[in-house]
Amino acid sequence: MLKFGDFIFDSQQQRLLTTQNTQVEIEPKLIALLEFFLTHPEQLISRQTLLETVWANTLVTDNAINKLVGNLRKALNDDPKQPKYIQTVPKRGYRFICTISEYKPSPVNEESRVNDRQDNEAANFNLYRQLQVIFLGLFLLTAVWFVFKQSDNDKLAYSVALTREQGIEFSPRMHPDQNHLFYLRARNVSDDVELWVKNIHTASVNRVSLPHPISEIIAVTEQDTRSDLIYLDKGQGRCDVYKARLNYQQGEGFSVADETMLFNCHDKRVKDIAYHAQKNVIYYTAQPENFWPNHIYAYDLNKNEHVLLNQPAPKGWGYHHLDVSPDGEKLLVMSTGSDHKTQLLSFNLLNHQVTAGKQFDRPVYEAIWAHDSEQIFYYSSSSMQTIMQSDFDGDNSRVVVNVSERLSKRLNRIADGHSLLFSTEQDDYNLRLLSDNTTRSLHNSAVFDSYPALFHQSDDYLFTSNRSGEMQIYFADSHRAQSKILTQFRSSYALSNMAISPDDKHVLLVIDNDVFALPLHRLKSQQPLDVLSEETAIFTSDVPVIAVDWLSNNMVAITAVKHAKPNLHIRNLAGERISLPQGEWAYGLSDNSQKGNVYLIERGSHRLYQVSLNTASDGHQIEPTPLTLPNEFYWAKIDNQHLYYMNAEGESEYLHKVSINSEKSLTKMKVNAFSSYDVKQGKVMISDKVSRSGDIHRTYH
């Protein structure tokens, strides 16, 4: 028996006790994990070591290990931020840091426990026999109830992983023969996406070469022994939908016989796409002119005709994701307003009527019709990792399957009447500091660290992370390489941007398309902030807010998209409106190293202007600069007379640095799946993706 901290581990009985001799109920996997930690104290234990020892010959993902270590910490009341037992060594593994000693029960206590046990056994013998009879009766009644009352649809399904390769597998589609799984695969973040096919019965796989890059599998169909693949090629300057005829040869698998481009969507930004084989129609949602809100379109392959579907005017983010029912009569559409709450809608394709269904108190990006075209499948909240089934209005909901890994998009039906294909995904976004052609990794977690906001008077910074479950705000002390959680929001806020004022006294938060200005001394107080007060909101919006920046210590630039156009709003800390120079302006920026320098980006032309804002009158002085930004730039900032911005070229994203007094590009750095960045005195802190992993699963009843 081993004693550590407030606990005693009994290796012979495989149980965990408190020092007060009460048993802690934990599952066998956690017992095995704890025993391994206790037998390797003060040693750095890698994830691979845990896989090879605690879970030998078992398929376990990194995300599952995170969850199990988290559950063990919970059982031990261990705080990961100030660990007493299990210390996380970023990017390397774990270390058990508590002092361990041998524990020997005192003879008096042991004798007392023996006597008590004998008395209890004698006293409870008759009660035990009575309980046996009662239990047997209850068991028989329960068994009869399950036999006669529970239908197959009420039974919890189980899932099986169909892929387990290195990297990520996604966008799954099952061939109508229900033997071959088509899916996309990328080994590393920067690798090209490949099309693979796996025979789920023989486990044989083959890679299919395509004439064009593939971003998403839209459908795999079969008619008269002929198989077709419909896929989307979406990249910078490209948006094309192709149809490829497939050949199948025994022992070699599938290959492309020929290919036809069905249509291009270069003038739109496609969000989601679905195909109905019997109707031979492709439905998709997209942003016209690359701005919100999203609309619903249809392409009839028989008529070679595009149609903008008759639909109510979209609000907020618009109609972003959709699914066509198996009977082809209606669309299931996800519509999310500026409050980040999603409403499910049914679009009847025969009479164009729209019916409202289940409403969520959070953004939802994945919901599909069930096989009967009446009920729906959807994902529960991200913390639960559960696939649910319910009526269209949300009634009669039930759990279909629970999984231990994060669910990703592209939930699909299998044509057996009840089974599903789904994917899991684990993205690791890290913060990096770029300075003088060097890159330094910061104090990161193995999850999503993003939205860095740099202090101007020190080297500290804020960032957001879901390392504690829900997305929260953290303060990082750059000198001690430590981070401290500043918020414990009770609500699941959708935070999309953050910026610190030039004097380091306030921070801007963009949450659910409202802009809040919080005093930093309040945010850094000892008690983490758990709720946002409406009094701190300086701008509220019923349309998406896509950019914010400080123009001075008391003046803020806010960009909101309305009617597919970015509009600039300027507010002071009291929320009062400040007038703009005459013109059509999209973005406002400032150069904190050059006080008083304010810049505006003109809508449409993307020309950069330098402006002297006179808050006391409308007499603003405005002067054009030599710079014009590219059409599809985003996330622009100005620092030390240099303009920084992001854009995509081909399949890659780049961070550009350009002198304000010249159109010549100074630096151009490739990033991996960019999330956000901030810049101060030439130092850039960027959040982008380090690794990506995930697998494809199917359900069984």
Side-chain angles (χ1 to χ4, degrees):
M1 301 181 75
L2 301 175
K3 182 180 182 301
F4 61 99
D6 301 324
F7 298 93
I8 300 165
F9 179 70
D10 185 344
S11 61
Q12 184 175 4
Q13 299 294 327
Q14 288 288 286
R15 59 178 182 164
L16 177 65
L17 307 170
T18 67
T19 50
Q20 286 75 39
N21 205 42
T22 59
Q23 184 165 333
V24 180
E25 297 296 335
I26 59 174
E27 60 179 300
K29 284 184 180 179
L30 298 186
I31 287 287
L33 178 60
L34 175 60
E35 186 170 28
F36 189 80
F37 277 134
L38 292 173
T39 53
H40 298 80
E42 297 296 339
Q43 296 182 26
L44 178 61
I45 301 171
S46 68
R47 294 167 178 269
Q48 189 61 35
T49 300
L50 293 177
L51 286 172
E52 294 172 354
T53 52
V54 182
W55 291 287
N57 302 318
T58 304
L59 292 174
V60 180
T61 65
D62 278 355
N63 193 40
I65 292 177
N66 290 341
K67 187 172 183 179
L68 289 165
V69 172
N71 288 341
L72 180 56
R73 280 175 167 150
K74 186 176 181 181
L76 299 175
N77 295 318
D78 197 18
D79 184 355
K81 297 183 290 295
Q82 296 179 332
K84 181 179 178 181
Y85 302 106
I86 304 171
Q87 178 190 56
T88 297
V89 182
K91 307 300 179 186
R92 300 183 64 189
Y94 304 96
R95 182 182 288 114
F96 196 85
I97 59 176
C98 186
T99 301
I100 304 170
S101 60
E102 186 178 358
Y103 177 77
K104 294 182 179 180
S106 64
V108 174
N109 290 340
E110 188 64 26
E111 180 181 354
S112 175
R113 279 198 297 271
V114 170
N115 292 336
D116 288 345
R117 185 169 63 249
Q118 291 174 344
D119 292 342
N120 288 337
E121 288 175 355
N124 291 336
F125 180 73
N126 290 332
L127 178 61
Y128 173 73
R129 296 190 62 180
Q130 295 174 18
L131 289 175
Q132 275 187 311
V133 176
I134 296 173
F135 177 77
L136 181 60
L138 289 174
F139 175 80
L140 291 174
L141 287 173
T142 302
V144 170
W145 184 86
F146 266 92
V147 170
F148 289 100
K149 295 295 184 182
Q150 187 178 28
S151 66
D152 288 339
N153 289 334
D154 292 329
K155 295 177 182 176
L156 187 67
Y158 67 94
S159 61
V160 172
L162 300 181
T163 63
R164 282 295 189 186
E165 290 91 352
Q166 178 184 354
I168 185 167
E169 295 83 48
F170 62 102
S171 192
R173 295 283 177 174
M174 189 71 76
H175 190 280
D177 65 11
Q178 298 188 42
N179 295 325
H180 293 91
L181 173 70
F182 285 67
Y183 61 95
L184 303 184
R185 179 184 177 192
R187 291 176 178 84
N188 298 302
V189 173
S190 57
D191 285 355
D192 293 335
V193 174
E194 301 172 339
L195 173 64
W196 287 77
V197 183
K198 181 174 185 176
N199 187 313
I200 62 174
H201 300 293
T202 66
S204 62
V205 297
N206 78 281
R207 180 176 176 270
V208 181
S209 296
L210 294 169
H212 299 89
I214 182 171
S215 305
E216 180 179 340
I217 301 174
I218 299 173
V220 179
T221 65
E222 183 181 47
Q223 187 175 6
D224 299 328
T225 70
R226 168 181 164 171
S227 296
D228 290 322
L229 167 74
I230 301 177
Y231 71 93
L232 174 68
D233 170 21
K234 185 172 66 171
Q236 175 64 21
R238 305 193 321 275
C239 184
D240 301 295
V241 177
Y242 294 94
K243 184 176 183 179
R245 185 165 59 87
L246 302 175
N247 283 336
Y248 178 76
Q249 189 170 351
Q250 190 71 30
E252 296 185 8
F254 287 89
S255 61
V256 174
D258 58 59
E259 183 182 80
T260 304
M261 188 179 81
L262 298 179
F263 64 90
N264 72 66
C265 41
H266 300 170
D267 59 338
K268 305 178 184 69
R269 183 170 294 177
V270 173
K271 299 294 292 183
D272 198 15
I273 192 164
Y275 171 72
H276 194 270
Q278 285 69 40
K279 287 183 173 292
N280 206 20
V281 175
I282 293 175
Y283 302 93
Y284 64 97
T285 60
Q287 298 173 9
E289 303 176 17
N290 292 319
F291 288 110
W292 294 281
N294 301 290
H295 292 72
I296 306 172
Y297 300 83
Y299 177 76
D300 191 320
L301 278 70
N302 297 323
K303 299 178 181 178
N304 191 24
E305 182 178 86
H306 250 110
V307 176
L308 174 64
L309 291 188
N310 185 17
Q311 57 198 280
K315 299 178 180 179
W317 301 93
Y319 310 117
H320 46 87
H321 287 71
L322 83 169
D323 179 58
V324 56
S325 61
D327 61 16
E329 294 183 358
K330 52 195 173 184
L331 297 177
L332 179 65
V333 180
M334 281 133 274
S335 175
T336 300
S338 298
D339 58 359
H340 284 246
K341 296 180 180 179
T342 298
Q343 172 74 63
L344 295 187
L345 301 171
S346 174
F347 280 71
N348 191 302
L349 297 170
L350 302 177
N351 58 23
H352 307 293
Q353 290 185 349
V354 179
T355 306
K358 179 175 175 58
Q359 185 171 27
F360 297 84
D361 59 358
R362 56 187 171 86
V364 173
Y365 306 103
E366 197 62 28
I368 65 172
W369 290 110
H371 300 76
D372 62 1
S373 298
E374 296 297 333
Q375 290 197 311
I376 57 173
F377 293 109
Y378 59 91
Y379 291 160
S380 65
S381 59
S382 58
S383 61
M384 297 179 65
Q385 312 304 337
T386 301
I387 300 176
M388 306 292 296
Q389 183 175 4
S390 75
D391 296 340
F392 173 62
D393 60 5
D395 291 342
N396 301 313
S397 63
R398 70 178 186 90
V399 175
V400 175
V401 65
N402 286 310
V403 295
S404 61
E405 303 164 66
R406 180 179 175 270
L407 293 165
S408 67
K409 298 173 186 175
R410 300 301 174 256
L411 181 65
N412 289 294
R413 295 174 296 271
I414 298 177
D416 61 357
H418 50 263
S419 300
L420 299 170
L421 282 175
F422 65 93
S423 305
T424 57
E425 181 176 359
Q426 176 65 35
D427 291 336
D428 182 5
Y429 279 82
N430 277 0
L431 298 175
R432 296 185 291 148
L433 188 63
L434 315 177
S435 178
D436 299 327
N437 297 319
T438 62
T439 299
R440 179 165 64 91
S441 294
L442 302 172
H443 184 64
N444 297 299
S445 67
V447 284
F448 195 96
D449 296 337
S450 187
Y451 298 116
L454 300 172
F455 283 78
H456 302 281
Q457 315 301 325
S458 71
D459 291 330
D460 300 331
Y461 58 95
L462 302 180
F463 67 97
T464 66
S465 179
N466 61 352
R467 58 180 65 182
S468 61
E470 295 291 344
M471 192 67 75
Q472 304 290 351
I473 300 173
Y474 289 77
F475 167 78
D477 186 326
S478 58
H479 298 292
R480 290 188 289 178
Q482 293 179 343
S483 59
K484 171 188 175 183
I485 190 168
L486 300 183
T487 62
Q488 290 181 349
F489 292 137
R490 296 193 296 262
S491 300
S492 181
Y493 291 132
L495 193 150
S496 57
N497 209 333
M498 191 160 54
I500 296 175
S501 62
D503 60 6
D504 289 353
K505 291 185 177 181
H506 289 83
V507 60
L508 286 180
L509 305 179
V510 181
I511 293 181
D512 296 340
N513 292 315
D514 293 338
V515 181
F516 297 82
L518 299 181
L520 269 169
H521 70 85
R522 176 182 172 188
L523 194 61
K524 292 170 62 177
S525 63
Q526 294 298 319
Q527 189 67 28
L529 184 67
D530 59 359
V531 66
L532 287 170
S533 169
E534 294 183 1
E535 298 175 355
T536 59
I538 63 172
F539 183 82
T540 58
S541 173
D542 58 356
V543 296
V545 171
I546 62 172
V548 293
D549 199 6
W550 289 91
L551 301 184
S552 69
N553 291 327
N554 189 46
M555 193 161 51
V556 176
I558 302 165
T559 300
V561 176
K562 187 173 184 179
H563 302 312
K565 295 180 180 180
N567 295 279
L568 178 62
H569 307 265
I570 298 182
R571 297 287 188 273
N572 61 21
L573 290 182
E576 298 169 337
R577 179 179 176 273
I578 297 175
S579 63
L580 287 163
Q582 186 175 0
E584 295 185 345
W585 306 109
Y587 300 90
L589 307 168
S590 68
D591 187 346
N592 290 316
S593 66
Q594 305 286 328
K595 293 188 181 300
N597 284 0
V598 173
Y599 297 86
L600 303 180
I601 299 176
E602 189 176 41
R603 186 195 312 137
S605 72
H606 300 157
R607 184 77 180 269
L608 182 69
Y609 290 81
Q610 184 172 345
V611 182
S612 175
L613 289 179
N614 187 347
T615 58
S617 68
D618 293 335
H620 308 296
Q621 296 180 357
I622 182 167
E623 181 179 348
T625 71
L627 288 182
T628 298
L629 282 80
N631 283 336
E632 294 190 6
F633 80 92
Y634 48 97
W635 213 279
K637 290 182 178 293
I638 292 180
D639 173 72
N640 200 24
Q641 292 290 294
H642 293 99
L643 171 69
Y644 296 78
Y645 67 88
M646 293 292 307
N647 84 326
E649 299 177 13
E651 301 300 315
S652 302
E653 290 180 288
Y654 294 89
L655 174 63
H656 296 261
K657 177 183 178 182
V658 184
S659 172
I660 286 181
N661 300 313
S662 169
E663 294 189 24
K664 183 179 179 180
S665 178
L666 298 178
T667 60
K668 176 182 175 182
M669 187 192 73
K670 183 179 178 181
V671 299
N672 297 317
F674 164 80
S675 168
S676 52
Y677 77 93
D678 198 9
V679 58
K680 182 194 71 172
Q681 298 176 0
K683 296 180 180 180
V684 177
M685 187 176 292
I686 191 167
S687 168
D688 62 351
K689 191 180 295 186
V690 176
S691 64
R692 187 183 185 196
S693 61
D695 301 298
I696 296 168
H697 307 249
R698 68 161 295 171
T699 63
Y700 283 95
H701 287 267

